[in-house]
Amino acid sequence: SINLQKKIKKAFPKAKWIEVQYSTNTKFKNARTKKISINNLKKKIVLRNLKKNRTYYFQARLSNGKKAITAWTYRQKVKTKK
């Protein structure tokens, strides 16, 4: 949402991207990363083509396009529907 964009830009003015990493492994082996522009940030981040009835682990960080600004944070466990 716009409020989230403003909060991120105020706290981290150099941040341009949110990198979301996801994997079925808790240690993030063979993890995939999706980059989302802060300008295109919505209330929800939707990832397609996840396998049904599996548990995925997610983590996120901010970057300026060349290097990460924050460490991986906001770890979350999500189970996909059948």
Side-chain angles (χ1 to χ4, degrees):
S1 72
I2 295 173
N3 292 337
L4 184 58
Q5 290 174 5
K6 287 181 181 178
K7 286 180 183 179
I8 291 173
K9 287 182 180 183
K10 185 175 181 180
F12 301 96
K14 293 184 181 180
K16 295 186 179 174
W17 298 93
I18 292 179
E19 295 179 357
V20 178
Q21 192 175 53
Y22 60 97
S23 177
T24 55
N25 185 313
T26 57
K27 297 191 180 202
F28 291 89
K29 291 185 179 179
N30 300 323
R32 293 183 176 214
T33 304
K34 174 132 177 124
K35 286 175 82 171
I36 301 160
S37 171
I38 290 178
N39 296 329
N40 294 334
L41 189 62
K42 307 284 186 206
K43 287 185 179 180
K44 294 182 182 179
I45 296 171
V46 179
L47 298 173
R48 307 247 186 251
N49 300 327
L50 297 179
K51 294 189 178 182
K52 294 180 182 180
N53 203 23
R54 284 236 174 134
T55 301
Y56 284 90
Y57 301 91
F58 293 87
Q59 61 185 1
R61 71 179 177 189
L62 297 173
S63 74
N64 64 3
K66 294 182 180 179
K67 66 177 188 174
I69 295 174
T70 62
W72 288 111
T73 59
Y74 188 69
R75 293 192 175 199
Q76 189 172 11
K77 176 180 161 181
V78 176
K79 183 160 184 166
T80 55
K81 295 179 182 178
K82 294 181 181 181

